[in-house]
Amino acid sequence: MKNKLFLGMIGLLGVVLLFHLLTNKSTAPLSTDTEVKIEGKITDQEAAQAAFHTLTTNLQAVNDEDADLYITTLVSTAKEETKKEMQTFFDDYDLENTLLSFKVLKQEKNHMLVETQQKTINKGKKDYRDHIAEAHHTFVKENGKWVIEETNMTNTHFI
């Protein structure tokens, strides 16, 4: 169970890194190359918008290297361990993330599966390969707020 949570958080870290690469490291809102539209099998537009906001906040936190903001976008069980991991990651890497697409694959009252395309560019000195990846984010509603439970990266294309 602990290994599965750790692997899930590593996957989430990868997504965050991708998003960090896609946006500027500033206090400006998350930037995208084009206007990202919420698409897919949407049954509740307000919930889809809330999940989109959570994800863009998550990515902006990575771009700003703000571990405190980052963990506000995660399920409560992942916050403590992830904060330490993210701070270490921020110390090592400077990435710029860009969100390219956001597609709802499955939406239920308290659960949502979203597929995104994310571009990550290395802005730092430490080796990290620029890429575009597909990410599957699982969102759950926790205490009335949509938060990220798990992220899996797939179909990574190095650029």
Side-chain angles (χ1 to χ4, degrees), residues 84-145:
K84 294 174 192 172
E85 292 172 7
M86 291 306 295
Q87 196 56 60
T88 300
F89 181 82
F90 294 153
D91 292 343
D92 289 341
Y93 297 98
D94 184 12
L95 304 176
E96 178 182 270
N97 294 285
T98 302
L99 179 62
L100 303 175
S101 68
F102 186 96
K103 182 179 180 182
V104 176
L105 300 178
K106 183 178 180 182
Q107 187 176 31
E108 298 172 349
K109 184 176 180 178
N110 295 311
H111 179 269
M112 195 178 322
L113 178 61
V114 172
E115 177 183 271
T116 64
Q117 295 288 319
Q118 303 162 199
K119 180 179 175 183
T120 303
I121 304 297
N122 185 3
K123 298 292 187 176
K125 292 182 169 106
K126 193 164 186 175
D127 284 342
Y128 192 92
R129 292 178 69 184
D130 299 347
H131 61 275
I132 296 175
E134 181 178 276
H136 289 100
H137 303 276
T138 303
F139 292 87
V140 294
K141 199 166 188 180
E142 186 177 85
N143 298 319
K145 180 181 175 189

Side-chain angles (χ1 to χ4, degrees), residues 11 15 27 42 47 49 51 56 74 105 115 125 128 135 144 148 154 156:
V15 170
T27 57
I42 301 166
Q49 185 67 39
T56 57
L74 305 179
L105 300 178
E115 177 183 271
K125 292 182 169 106
Y128 192 92
I148 300 167
T154 61
T156 300

Side-chain angles (χ1 to χ4, degrees), residues 64-84:
D64 293 342
E65 299 183 2
D66 185 341
D68 291 323
L69 178 60
Y70 180 81
I71 65 167
T72 67
T73 65
L74 305 179
V75 291
S76 58
T77 56
K79 291 182 179 190
E80 187 176 331
E81 185 175 337
T82 301
K83 184 175 180 180
K84 294 174 192 172

